[in-house]
Amino acid sequence: MFWGIEISKVPVKFTPAFDLHITTACLSAVAKDTGRNVLQVKYDGKTYSLCSLKLNATEHSVLDTNFEEGKEVEFSVSGNNTICLTGYFVDSMYGDDEQGEEEEEEEDDEEEEGEEDEEMEGEEDEEEEDEDEEEDDDEDDEINQELERQILEQALKRKAQIEADKNKQQKKPKQEEPVKQVTPVKPTASAAKPTATTPTATTPTKQTTPATKPVTPTKPVTPTKPVETVVEKKKPTSSVVTLPSGLQYEDLVVGTGPSPKSGKKVGVKYIGKLTNGKTFDSSLRTPFTFRIGIREVIRGWDIGVASMKVGGKRRLTIPADLAYGRSGAPPSIPPNATLIFDVELVSCAQ
């Protein structure tokens, strides 16, 4: 369900009936003052700044902030202009109002049908809740399975390449070790001092053993090619790139299309997780669009997506100072949280 409100210097307090998701803040159409206008929120006894807007400069900001139902929220503006907030109630999107009406009708039926019908309908309600929970779990499982499938495909490709290199190395003919050097004939005392009793039977064999010396060119047997294959195996371990800002990224698939340009719109599919593996946001079916490089999203996205190409898939590990910082984005994202995004660049305007 859509939600909107206008905020000025006078604080506005209210308690949301459902979980509230705020998506956009912009200056009012009648804004005239060119000074800075800071949107502030007081939540759980603490005051936070959500964004800063300025006429003829930054007149709107994309937000991704959730507020829990039943908790008082107070908005105010530090500045002379009015700021319009828009978003939607999360729970109302899933049909809680319709479920409430159905439950009221069921309660009326239960009173008429007696205690036995009440017990049966209570069991039906529990089954419906279990089915809803199973559907939510199935959707999360599908998202996680799709991500795991993509990562597994990349791992299998790397493994197949390594095995192919091993097979090539094994097919190359190996030069024999200089075994003949183990039987040096010259240093033996018996060979140096031949006895007079055996001049004819033993001397031919002694002469044949030196004849084998030219057949033992062992110097070319230097293991140079196996060293090259060892270097190739170590290449995949250096795929994670760490930038001076602290952001890390790993290219799962390198794209072949164009790269984004600052200020232009891009479309991405993504899934966001905390370091404990919990998914806090995703958009895998419908691409999320934003203008890159002008702080419509967190800094980690502006930096990490800028060097991608269309068709590429990248894993971004974003430190807190490039994401939501010390404040976090309650209740989904705690303070000082490192965020992990798997991002696919599907389009970019040129």
Side-chain angles (χ1 to χ4, degrees), residues 54-275:
K54 190 174 182 181
L55 190 64
N56 299 326
T58 304
E59 298 187 356
H60 81 283
S61 177
V62 177
L63 303 177
D64 186 10
T65 308
N66 296 316
F67 294 97
E68 189 176 353
E69 67 174 285
K71 285 191 175 183
E72 184 180 73
V73 182
E74 179 181 314
F75 291 102
S76 61
V77 174
S78 176
N80 297 323
N81 290 326
T82 299
I83 295 178
C84 299
L85 285 180
T86 57
Y88 56 85
F89 289 112
V90 179
D91 289 348
S92 63
M93 295 177 64
Y94 298 96
D96 287 350
D97 294 338
E98 295 178 359
Q99 292 180 359
E101 294 176 358
E102 291 178 359
E103 290 176 359
E104 290 179 0
E105 293 176 358
E106 289 175 357
E107 289 176 0
D108 295 336
D109 294 338
E110 289 171 1
E111 292 178 358
E112 295 177 358
E113 294 175 0
E115 294 180 355
E116 293 182 356
D117 293 339
E118 289 178 357
E119 294 178 357
M120 294 176 63
E121 290 179 359
E123 293 175 356
E124 291 177 356
D125 291 339
E126 291 178 358
E127 291 176 358
E128 290 178 358
E129 292 177 358
D130 292 339
E131 290 177 357
D132 292 339
E133 293 177 357
E134 290 178 357
E135 290 177 358
D136 294 338
D137 293 339
D138 291 341
E139 184 175 354
D140 292 339
D141 290 341
E142 289 178 0
I143 294 172
N144 292 330
Q145 288 175 1
E146 175 65 18
L147 180 59
E148 291 174 358
R149 184 187 65 79
Q150 295 175 359
I151 295 174
L152 180 60
E153 287 180 357
Q154 295 299 318
L156 290 175
K157 288 181 180 178
R158 292 178 183 174
K159 183 177 179 182
Q161 183 63 37
I162 293 172
E163 290 179 353
D165 294 339
K166 286 183 178 179
N167 292 334
K168 290 180 181 179
Q169 180 183 351
Q170 291 175 356
K171 289 179 180 179
K172 292 180 181 179
K174 295 184 178 178
Q175 297 183 358
E176 296 181 354
E177 296 291 334
V179 180
K180 295 179 181 180
Q181 292 179 353
V182 182
T183 58
V185 181
K186 288 183 179 180
T188 57
S190 60
K193 296 179 181 180
T195 59
T197 56
T198 59
T200 56
T202 59
T203 52
T205 59
K206 292 179 182 178
Q207 291 175 355
T208 55
T209 53
T212 60
K213 290 182 181 179
V215 190
T216 59
T218 58
K219 291 183 180 180
V221 186
T222 56
T224 57
K225 292 183 179 179
V227 174
E228 293 178 357
T229 57
V230 173
V231 174
E232 291 178 357
K233 292 179 182 179
K234 292 182 180 179
K235 287 182 180 179
T237 61
S238 61
S239 59
V240 177
V241 179
T242 301
L243 301 180
S245 61
L247 183 141
Q248 294 181 337
Y249 70 83
E250 178 182 5
D251 282 320
L252 305 178
V253 176
V254 178
T256 58
S259 297
K261 294 182 180 180
S262 180
K264 298 294 185 179
K265 280 190 176 183
V266 298
V268 297
K269 294 182 179 180
Y270 69 92
I271 180 171
K273 294 184 178 181
L274 302 176
T275 54

